Amino acid sequence: MSQQTARRGGAAWALVITSVAGFMAALDNLVVTTALPSIREDLGGGLHDLEWTVSAYTLTFAVLLMFGAALGDRFGRRRLFIAGLTVFTGASAAAAMAPGIDSLIAARAVQGAGAAVMMPLTLTLLTAAVPVAKRGMAYGIWGAVNGLAVASGPLVGGTLTEHISWQWIFWLNVPLGLALLPLARLRLAESHGTGAPLDVSGTLLASGGLFGIVYGLVRGPADGWTSSLVLTGLFAGGALLVGFILYSTRAKNPMLPMRLFRSRAFSGINAASLLMFLGMFGSIFLLSQYMQGVLGYSPTEAGLRMLPWTGMPMLVAPVAGILADRIGGRPVVAAGLFLQALGLGYMAVVATADASYVSQLPALIVSGVGMALFFAPASHLVMSSVRPSEQGIASGANNALREVGGALGIAVMGSIFAAQGGYETGQTFVDGMRPALVTGSAVVALAGIAALLIPTRRHTERQAQSAEPAPVLEKAAH
């Protein structure tokens, strides 16, 4: 390896660059939620428009993730990472300067497209730069940063909106992006996947299918589950995904080889990830509103009180990565999921219209430890369940399933909440939130069961080595 390549491929630089980029992309999932009243006051628009400021990002992010990973494998992971980061940064500036609600929605959609290209390549680039023996710790730090971003979105958005202005939830990305661009060019090594031709047909089928399903899930609670557009999205999306699966089993160079799912490790960790994000996203969505609308905290105060949950990944996830290196990822992930389920169930029991913070604190701590134990080893399991040449698309598939799980969680738990309670009084809110949290707890417990079905580390490594009929050397541009 040349000195230049060694410099570019430094593990520390790769960890910093990919963690910050992942933080930016993950943060923007929920950062807008606490700023919606201020956005409406400044830009106008009805409830439908405000919902689209959230869902426009979710839709483009979810449906283009696998396509972004495939582009990186084909044309260069560092090159496409830089391109995605550029688009994301520019769209963030456009969102901050949006003169109206329509232009803000458009900027959010472009922002999601940039994140979809950038996000799955962060793990691939990090894996290529870090020695095998140290990947658990690296994934732990990466997972801590990304887990914190997902969970602290409402806190960051509320704090910036309350103390500066809502535009700063987007301006925050601009200096970070501008700082990362030259670092990525100078400090990351270029790499490619198998070099197979880009699977255009598979990309269109998968993107169209995911778009239809995520669109239906996002719009269902607002438009009604029997509305024509929602039903069309769900059924057409499902049909396209079935077509994608059938196509991928027969295509010569499919975007997502279906044979990967023959691996219990790959199937198990993806099922666990989807279910985990379903329960977690739906719970955060309701609990952040509970703390503000029922208990009377400001957005900043609510975010601070959730820090025992949302901030725990920064403390525990690096340790979880080290544990995964020593005993394997399966027991760590499963333990984390069962703790998360226990925390959500406990919160459902103690939640009242006038609950004290002390009574909620054990549930927040247990949930935080559980979430932290999940993130880092889960990433390790995804990347170790396939060959290096397929890690980009494996990361894209896992991230896409997480996004779909998050959208499904908000839709399902929001529907349960609406059926059992409402916003009329604090008590009616609690009446709706409790069964929703119980559902979230049960779903995360199912994720723990899925994690237990993952084979041991040695068996997983043997599966990864035999995942392809013949080894394919990964290309590297020096």
Side-chain angles (χ1 to χ4, degrees):
M1 179 182 287
S2 67
Q3 184 177 359
Q4 183 185 27
T5 302
R7 175 176 61 85
R8 279 184 169 178
W13 279 112
L15 180 59
V16 170
I17 294 167
T18 58
S19 294
V20 174
F23 180 90
M24 293 163 61
L27 182 71
D28 275 61
N29 267 304
L30 293 174
V31 74
V32 179
T33 54
T34 47
L36 290 177
S38 297
I39 292 174
R40 182 178 185 180
E41 183 178 347
D42 281 359
L43 301 183
L47 179 62
H48 176 81
D49 298 310
L50 295 178
E51 289 172 344
W52 271 111
T53 63
V54 179
S55 57
Y57 182 86
T58 303
L59 281 170
T60 53
F61 191 16
V63 304
L64 295 176
L65 272 166
M66 285 194 291
F67 185 48
L71 286 174
D73 285 349
R74 181 69 179 86
F75 298 108
R77 291 162 179 164
R78 185 187 66 185
R79 179 184 301 173
L80 266 294
F81 173 81
I82 292 173
L85 179 59
T86 301
V87 171
F88 181 86
T89 303
S92 297
M97 296 185 292
I101 193 69
D102 291 336
S103 55
L104 175 60
I105 292 170
R108 286 282 287 167
V110 176
Q111 196 183 27
V117 174
M118 173 179 69
M119 185 66 172
L121 298 176
T122 58
L123 262 184
T124 317
L125 290 165
L126 180 62
T127 301
V130 177
V132 175
K134 297 182 179 180
R135 284 178 186 168
M137 183 182 296
Y139 290 144
I141 298 172
W142 183 92
V145 174
N146 281 268
L148 178 65
V150 170
S152 64
L155 167 62
V156 174
T159 301
L160 291 175
T161 301
E162 185 177 344
H163 297 290
I164 309 178
S165 71
W166 66 264
Q167 285 88 349
W168 276 93
I169 64 179
F170 302 115
W171 280 127
L172 178 66
N173 293 324
V174 176
L176 291 175
L178 292 177
L180 287 183
L181 284 169
L183 288 176
R185 178 68 182 86
L186 294 173
R187 297 293 180 177
L188 293 178
E190 184 62 284
S191 64
H192 297 74
T194 62
L198 193 63
D199 181 11
V200 177
S201 298
T203 297
L204 292 175
L205 286 170
S207 298
L210 286 175
F211 179 87
I213 288 179
V214 175
Y215 177 89
L217 294 176
V218 169
R219 299 306 311 162
D223 296 346
W225 293 104
T226 58
S227 70
S228 58
L229 284 177
V230 170
L231 289 176
T232 300
L234 292 174
F235 284 111
L240 287 173
L241 284 184
V242 171
F244 170 71
I245 293 172
L246 295 175
Y247 165 83
S248 298
T249 58
R250 301 171 183 174
K252 183 177 180 181
N253 296 300
M255 180 179 67
L256 179 59
M258 288 297 109
R259 57 182 167 73
L260 294 180
F261 289 95
R262 298 173 190 166
S263 163
R264 280 171 50 204
F266 187 78
S267 297
I269 191 57
N270 278 289
S273 296
L274 186 148
L275 294 170
M276 161 64 174
F277 270 66
L278 194 159
M280 185 187 71
F281 259 67
S283 300
I284 291 175
F285 178 74
L286 290 174
L287 286 171
S288 62
Q289 296 182 71
Y290 166 70
M291 287 195 167
Q292 295 178 59
V294 177
L295 300 183
Y297 300 125
S298 71
T300 303
E301 290 171 340
L304 289 173
R305 282 164 174 78
M306 290 183 73
L307 277 179
W309 183 6
T310 62
M312 197 62 69
M314 293 298 294
L315 301 176
V316 179
V319 178
I322 296 173
L323 282 175
D325 281 340
R326 294 182 177 177
I327 65 175
R330 180 181 69 167
V332 181
V333 165
L337 291 168
F338 287 126
L339 284 174
Q340 177 79 85
L342 178 63
L344 292 177
Y346 186 88
M347 179 63 76
V349 172
V350 302
T352 64
D354 57 352
S356 68
Y357 181 63
V358 173
S359 68
Q360 302 169 51
L361 190 57
L364 295 172
I365 293 174
V366 171
S367 294
V369 173
M371 183 170 66
L373 289 176
F374 168 82
F375 274 115
S379 301
H380 200 168
L381 286 170
V382 170
M383 303 305 278
S384 63
S385 66
V386 298
R387 294 182 64 84
S389 61
E390 295 174 324
Q391 287 175 338
I393 198 59
S395 174
N398 183 257
N399 278 281
L401 288 171
R402 290 183 178 193
E403 289 298 312
V404 172
L408 180 62
I410 292 175
V412 170
M413 296 175 71
S415 296
I416 294 172
F417 168 81
Q420 301 294 324
Y423 291 92
E424 292 80 10
T425 66
Q427 187 58 50
T428 57
F429 191 98
V430 172
D431 290 341
M433 185 181 71
R434 277 179 170 169
L437 290 181
V438 170
T439 302
S441 175
V443 169
V444 177
L446 286 176
I449 295 173
L452 290 177
L453 299 177
I454 297 172
T456 62
R457 177 166 53 184
R458 289 183 180 179
H459 183 69
T460 300
E461 290 171 351
R462 289 197 301 268
Q463 281 192 325
Q465 291 298 320
S466 61
E468 289 184 337
V472 179
L473 294 178
E474 184 171 349
K475 298 188 293 183
H478 301 300

